[in-house]
Amino acid sequence: MSRSLRVAVQMDPIQSINIDADSTFALMLEAQARGHTLYHYHVRDLALAGGRLVAQAEPVTVERKHGAHWQFRETAELDLATCDVVLMRQDPPFDMAYITATHLLEHIHPKTLVVNDPASVRNAPEKLFVLHFPELMPETLVTADRRQILRFREKHGDIIIKPLFGNGGAGVFHIKPGDSNLNSLIEMFTERSREPLMVQRYVPEVRQGDKRIILVDGVAMGAINRVPAAGESRSNMHVGGRPEQTTLTPREQEICAAIGPELKRRGLIFVGIDVIGGYLTEINVTSPTGLQEIARFDGVNLAGAIWDAIEAQR
């Protein structure tokens, strides 16, 4: 692309990221290599007044150098409408603060391209959006009704129970047949939140891995397999899951082909889906990860593919 873009990155503090794993860092490195100008700000620094959406932001340069991977220039108020692109990359939880940020960013999108589309992010929380594709999922129940949960457990025996708006595997429990802790877990969740829970039939193939597949503008571009640690039912890398090189099965290609057009229609340029044993379990649209792991295993520059898709819309 011949034109340099002004790119604002809404993210968690760059000082604390793991530069060997963070997908936002990979996107920033790629943008910088293409000659784009980067700005860094935190979601709490957004302000909307008189129709102007601004943020206290730092112009930033990045370098793959441990302990010195960023360099800020002087902080100043940035009118986000003057930017070409905003990357919405702060980590979940997908709470009211996250939802409010999507409402604020709608004031500049699509004249300033927000990736992913903020209204679509708001309307596609990972564990709820996936419910639009029940034919691709394991048997699933979403409810706050204890009786429904107990009936589901009676039918399937071996189940997973998890909060709807968690992230990184937090609060995910595997309830095996004969486990007497289900009632206590329901009570614990109920005391902490009024939100429904997601309950799914346990898919034992998770022991062979939970596949993260990256789709760019609706097209599958790469994948890694995340294998749970010994004694762990969760495969998230945050909790010790081990990434492995992988390829897509015909069933996984079928899943991607089924959901890809809807992702593109909603303006969800960068998406990571999770597939276990041929079943779709989540569609991650808030802050997907996996770019650096795929690059190391397969030599595929998915950050470049994402910027190709962004630049095509500018």
Side-chain angles (χ1 to χ4, degrees), residues 223-280:
I224 52 169
N225 194 40
R226 301 168 299 174
V227 179
E232 177 63 75
S233 61
R234 301 169 297 173
S235 58
N236 309 71
M237 288 182 283
H238 288 90
V239 293
R242 184 183 74 253
E244 292 183 341
Q245 189 173 22
T246 191
T247 57
L248 297 188
T249 67
R251 169 62 173 171
E252 290 158 354
Q253 292 171 349
E254 176 188 328
I255 289 171
C256 293
I259 69 173
E262 184 62 16
L263 301 180
K264 183 176 178 65
R265 186 187 73 79
R266 292 180 180 233
L268 297 168
I269 290 175
F270 178 15
V271 172
I273 67 170
D274 296 338
V275 179
I276 302 173
Y279 292 101
L280 179 65

